[in-house]
Every structure is written in structure tokens, then in C-alpha cells.
């Protein structure tokens, strides 16, 4: 799908293996500590220097985003954002949308051209995938008109089910916009 010349795509895969992307997004915790899921995979591949840098910026609030180097990852940069814990947040959709918006604006402010997101909050933080897909894709689409540098936005979905839900949602939204 293309909006204002920005490509949005969904693939099934591992966020730590996106060779052609300048910045990957980490579904972090407030302390920017390694943890499990995406954060565990990113920190173990990047090496211990990543957490050393993260400590300087922690703690951060839900919906906020900070950027670090990528160290041993194939990507020069990582943006860390904290998604909402679905059962604990009063307005999880608003917070999840903030994550996407803040990550995109931060990457854009660093003149980066490509960014990859995981399905933030849909693992340990318990956000239902169907709802998260709708909120996440719409947040990306709404932010695109504010971007100057970003040309490619990729959702990297780990398992087949999450991938199919995101792919279906992206297709529905695209068709709803009158695109073939
Ligand atoms: N690449 C892409 N997606 C992945 C990968 C991977 N390597 N590994 C898991 N996923 P989660 P959250 C998927 O739990 O819900 C951490 O401990 C996973 O299947 O990583 O935002 C942090 O430190 C799911 O669909 O993130 C926080 O404490 C999605 O990525 C907490 O978990 C998000 O799962 C954050 O929880």
C-alpha cells in the first residue's frame, strides 16, 4: 500500500533480521531493560552495549519513544517505545497510537528513510491482535502526512496468525480508500 509515496507493508518474520531497514522498533518496558519477546531478541542480538545506552534514557512513559544505536544488529538504529498493558490502561488505543506516531516522528526527525515495527503490545502486554492491527495501521496512516523523510514502513509479524490479521486489515483499509 502506498500513501503520499510512502510504502506500507506487512511481512512475516523476525524484527532482528531486517537487513534493508535503517531503524527497527523495540516493544520495550519502561526501564528499557532486555526482558522477553521482541525486547529480548533485540537486546541479545545487539549485545550488552545496547542496554548500557538504554540506561541513560530510562525510565520512559507509555507511548514515548527514544532512539539508540543498533550495535550488532544489522540496523544502525533502534527506537524503543513502551506499548500499553491492555488490561491496565484506561485508553489503550490512544496509547498504542501514540507509540506509532512518536516512533515515526522521531525517525523522521533523524532523516531516516525506512522503519520496521513489531506488533507492539500484542505479546506479554496482552493487546488483542485484531484491535491492535486496526489501531496500529490507522496510526501509521494518520502520521504519514507529517513525515518528510520516511519512505518505507514495514510491519514485521512473528507468527502466521498475527501476520494474516495485519495483512487482512491492511488490505481492508487500502480497499476502503478506493485503491485496487
Ligand atoms: N520479531 C518480531 N516479532 C516478535 C519477535 C521477533 N523476534 N519476538 C516476538 N515477537 P512482546 P509487548 C512478537 O511480548 O506485548 C518484553 O519483555 C510477539 O509474538 O515482545 O509489547 C518487554 O521488555 C508479539 O506478537 O511485546 C516488555 O516488558 C509481538 O511481537 C514487554 O515484553 C509483541 O510481543 C512488552 O510486551
Amino acid at each position: 500500500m502506498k500513501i503520499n509515496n510512502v510504502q506500507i507493508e506487512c511481512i512475516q518474520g523476525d524484527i532482528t533480521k531486517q537487513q534493508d531497514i535503517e531503524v527497527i522498533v523495540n516493544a520495550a518496558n519502561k526501564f528499557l531493560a532486555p526482558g522477553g519477546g521482541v525486547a529480548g531478541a533485540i537486546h541479545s542480538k545487539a549485545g550488552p552495549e545496547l542496554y548500557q545506552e538504554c540506561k541513560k534514557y530510562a525510565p520512559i512513559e507509555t507511548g514515548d519513544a527514544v532512539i539508540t544505536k543498533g550495535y550488532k544488529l544489522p540496523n544502525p538504529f533502534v527506537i524503543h517505545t513502551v506499548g500499553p498493558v491492555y488490561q491496565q490502561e484506561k485508553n489503550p488505543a490512544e496509547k498504542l497510537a501514540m507509540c506509532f506516531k512518536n516512533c515515526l516522528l522521531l525517525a523522521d526527525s533523524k532523516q531516516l528513510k525506512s522503519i520496521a515495527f513489531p506488533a507492539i503490545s500484542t505479546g506479554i502486554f496482552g493487546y488483542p491482535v485484531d484491535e491492535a492491527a486496526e489501531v496500529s495501521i490507522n496510526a501509521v496512516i494518520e502520521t504519514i502526512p507529517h513525515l518528510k523523510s520516511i519512505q518505507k514502513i514495514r510491519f514485521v509479524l512473528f507468527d502466521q496468525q498475527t501476520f494474516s490479521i495485519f495483512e487482512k486489515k491492511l488490505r481492508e483499509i487500502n480497499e476502503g480508500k478506493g485503491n485496487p
Side-chain angles (χ1 to χ4, degrees):
M1 170 168 174
K2 251 190 167 173
I3 298 177
N4 296 6
N5 261 344
V6 178
Q7 173 82 20
I8 309 178
E9 55 191 36
C10 284
I11 66 158
Q12 190 182 349
D14 182 335
I15 193 89
T16 66
K17 293 184 179 158
Q18 307 305 308
Q19 313 274 353
D20 58 331
I21 295 283
E22 284 176 308
V23 59
I24 61 167
V25 174
N26 181 16
N29 52 66
K30 291 186 176 185
F31 304 102
L32 306 180
V38 172
I42 287 180
H43 278 272
S44 71
K45 196 144 178 193
E49 282 171 301
L50 178 60
Y51 184 40
Q52 292 308 317
E53 186 180 355
C54 280
K55 280 183 196 161
K56 295 186 203 162
Y57 310 117
I60 67 168
E61 293 301 315
T62 304
D64 281 354
V66 297
I67 190 163
T68 64
K69 288 188 269 182
Y71 299 96
K72 293 188 178 128
L73 285 159
N75 325 89
F77 301 99
V78 180
I79 290 179
H80 308 259
T81 188
V82 182
V85 178
Y86 188 72
Q87 296 293 350
Q88 283 175 18
E89 206 67 53
K90 248 201 237 148
N91 194 342
E94 190 187 324
K95 291 283 162 65
L96 187 61
M98 267 177 69
C99 289
F100 284 90
K101 186 175 176 206
N102 287 332
C103 288
L104 287 168
L105 293 175
L106 180 55
D108 200 65
S109 75
K110 302 288 178 192
Q111 275 90 46
L112 301 176
K113 291 194 171 63
S114 52
I115 183 167
F117 286 99
I120 298 168
S121 281
T122 64
I124 295 164
F125 284 178
Y127 212 118
V129 177
D130 200 45
E131 284 178 43
E134 171 121 27
V135 171
S136 304
I137 295 167
N138 280 323
V140 163
I141 291 172
E142 282 162 22
T143 311
I144 286 179
H146 305 284
L147 304 175
K148 293 190 178 73
S149 174
I150 296 286
Q151 289 168 7
K152 183 183 280 199
I153 301 167
R154 177 179 295 163
F155 287 97
V156 181
L157 297 322
F158 206 44
D159 57 280
Q160 168 64 37
Q161 202 194 351
T162 307
F163 168 71
S164 344
I165 293 171
F166 269 74
E167 196 200 25
K168 181 163 173 266
K169 196 65 81 178
L170 187 61
R171 193 165 293 147
E172 280 169 10
I173 293 172
N174 193 34
E175 284 164 3
K177 290 190 177 299
N179 295 323

